Amino acid sequence: MSSPNTLHLNQSGPTEFVFQVLTASHKIQVLLFCFFLLLYIMILCGNSAIIAVVCAYSSLHTPMYFFLSNLSSLEICYTTTTVPLMLSNIFGAQKPISLAGCGAQMLFFLTFGGADCFLLAVIAYDRYVAICHPLHYTLIMTKELCMQMVVGSLGLSIVFTLPLTALVCSLPFCGHRQEINHFLCDAPPVLRLACGDTHIHQAVLYVVSIFVLTIPFLLICISYIFIAITILRIHSAEGRQRAFSTCSSHLTVVLLQYGCCSLVYLRPRSSTSEDEDRQLALVYTFVIPLLNPLIYTLRNKDVKEALKKSVSRKDTSKTMKV
C-alpha cells in the first residue's frame, strides 16, 4: 500500500511554487505595492548615483570608491533578482513559478548576497591597509589586486551557492503545487517544503552560511582590531576623528548585513518561524540596499562634495540653455 507521500509524489505535472499572499485586503495590497515600488526605485536611484559619481570624478578613482561602486552594483542586482517578481505577485494573482525558475532566483539571490558579504570583508582589508600601512597603500592596493578581489568575491560566492542551490532543488516535494510562506525562493523556506530527509541539506546550508557569513565577519573583526589599535596610537584628536570617520560607515553596513543574515541562516530551524524569516528578509532585501547609499553619502565628505558638484553642474547647464 502506498504512503501519502508517495501518492503526492506521483501526482502528474512538474513542480511549481506559489508565493503566499502578504494580505487579503485589496487596499493594503495597493499600499504595499506602492510602498515597495517606491523603495525599489529609491534603491536603484541611490546606488546608481554612487556608481555614476565614482565613474565621473577622477578624485574618486581610488580602491575604496572602486569597491563602493561595486557594492552598489551588487545591491542593484541583489534587489532586482527578487523585487520585480514580488511586486507582480503582491496582488494575489497566484502566478506559479517553476522549479527551474525558483532555482534560478535562489542561485542569483544567494550569489549576489554572498558576494556582498565577501566584498564587505574586502573593504575592511582596504581600510586596514590604508590606516595601518599608509605609506605602502598604493603599492599594495594596485588596480590589478582590486579587480582580482572583486572578481574573486563573486567567483567565491558562486562556488558555494551553486552546489547548495542544486542540492536544494534536487529534493522531492509533496505535490504538484507548493505554497511558499515567503516572497522569494530562498533556501530555508524551500527546504521546509521538501518531503524527504533534509538533514544533509540543512548541514550543507549551515556550512555554506559559516563560510559566507561567519568567516568574512571574523576577518572584518580582525581588521578592525588592528585598525582600532592604530587609531588609538594617533596623537591628534583630529587625526583620530578622520581615521574613525572613514570606517564608521562601513561598520554600520556590516552590522546591519551580517546581523540580519545570521538570524536567518545560522539560527537552528527549531528556533525560527517562517514569518520571522520573511520579516528579516524584507530588511536585507529593502532596508540595507536603501541605507547603503544613504550611509556612505551622508557620512562621506568626498562623495557628498562630488554629488554637490554634479547637481550644480546640471543646474548651470539648465541655466545656460534658458
Side-chain angles (χ1 to χ4, degrees):
M1 188 171 179
S2 299
S3 64
N5 284 352
T6 305
L7 291 174
H8 281 300
L9 290 170
N10 288 337
Q11 288 184 2
S12 61
T15 302
E16 294 180 335
F17 297 91
V18 177
F19 299 106
Q20 193 175 77
V21 181
L22 294 174
T23 177
S25 172
H26 181 71
K27 291 182 179 179
I28 298 179
Q29 286 175 352
V30 173
L31 290 175
L32 287 176
F33 179 85
C34 295
F35 177 67
F36 288 132
L37 179 61
L38 178 62
L39 289 180
Y40 181 53
I41 293 173
M42 291 172 66
I43 289 169
L44 294 181
C45 293
N47 286 284
S48 297
I50 287 182
I51 296 170
V53 167
V54 171
C55 292
Y57 290 91
S58 58
S59 60
L60 300 181
H61 291 177
T62 62
M64 183 177 73
Y65 297 110
F66 172 73
F67 294 137
L68 178 57
S69 62
N70 279 278
L71 183 66
S72 293
S73 300
L74 285 175
E75 300 290 10
I76 292 173
C77 297
Y78 183 72
T79 53
T80 302
T81 301
T82 58
V83 177
L85 182 61
M86 174 191 175
L87 292 174
S88 68
N89 287 300
I90 206 166
F91 288 107
Q94 294 291 299
K95 299 175 182 176
I97 181 173
S98 65
L99 178 61
C102 184
Q105 186 188 54
M106 186 187 304
L107 176 62
F108 286 117
F109 177 76
L110 294 176
T111 297
F112 291 130
D116 208 328
C117 294
F118 288 126
L119 192 56
L120 288 174
V122 168
I123 295 174
Y125 175 73
D126 173 72
R127 294 298 83 210
Y128 159 75
V129 176
I131 294 174
C132 299
H133 304 283
L135 298 178
H136 299 92
Y137 181 75
T138 54
L139 296 175
I140 297 173
M141 301 302 295
T142 61
K143 290 182 179 180
E144 292 78 12
L145 180 62
C146 293
M147 184 63 70
Q148 289 170 3
M149 285 181 167
V150 171
V151 174
S153 297
L154 187 59
L156 198 58
S157 182
I158 293 174
V159 167
F160 285 113
T161 56
L162 183 58
L164 174 63
T165 304
L167 196 63
V168 172
C169 292
S170 66
L171 281 165
F173 296 96
C174 301
H176 163 58
R177 179 170 291 195
Q178 302 291 318
E179 185 176 25
I180 303 180
N181 185 18
H182 215 294
F183 59 87
L184 63 93
C185 283
D186 198 4
V190 174
L191 279 175
R192 287 191 176 100
L193 300 174
C195 275
D197 184 13
T198 62
H199 284 91
I200 295 177
H201 303 74
Q202 292 285 359
V204 172
L205 176 60
Y206 281 125
V207 170
V208 170
S209 300
I210 288 171
F211 276 101
V212 175
L213 293 172
T214 307
I215 292 179
F217 182 71
L218 289 176
L219 293 174
I220 291 171
C221 292
I222 293 170
S223 297
Y224 275 100
I225 288 172
F226 286 106
I227 288 172
I229 293 172
T230 304
I231 290 176
L232 291 175
R233 290 175 179 172
I234 299 175
H235 297 293
S236 67
E238 184 182 350
R240 286 196 298 268
Q241 179 64 31
R242 190 183 305 112
F244 178 76
S245 65
T246 62
C247 302
S248 57
S249 301
H250 179 244
L251 276 174
T252 305
V253 174
V254 166
L255 292 175
L256 284 170
Q257 177 88 2
Y258 285 93
C260 292
C261 292
S262 297
L263 289 174
V264 172
Y265 296 101
L266 292 175
R267 279 195 304 176
R269 290 294 96 194
S270 58
S271 64
T272 63
S273 69
E274 294 179 351
D275 291 334
E276 287 177 351
D277 284 355
R278 185 165 62 173
Q279 291 165 6
L280 288 169
L282 285 172
V283 174
Y284 59 71
T285 302
F286 285 98
V287 179
I288 295 175
L290 178 62
L291 287 180
N292 277 357
L294 292 176
I295 290 170
Y296 282 114
T297 52
L298 293 177
R299 298 182 65 86
N300 192 295
K301 184 179 178 181
D302 295 332
V303 177
K304 282 193 291 185
E305 288 180 355
L307 285 171
K308 288 178 182 178
K309 288 179 182 178
S310 179
V311 173
S312 62
R313 282 184 181 180
K314 290 181 180 179
D315 292 339
T316 304
S317 60
K318 287 181 180 179
T319 305
M320 292 178 65
K321 286 180 180 180
V322 173

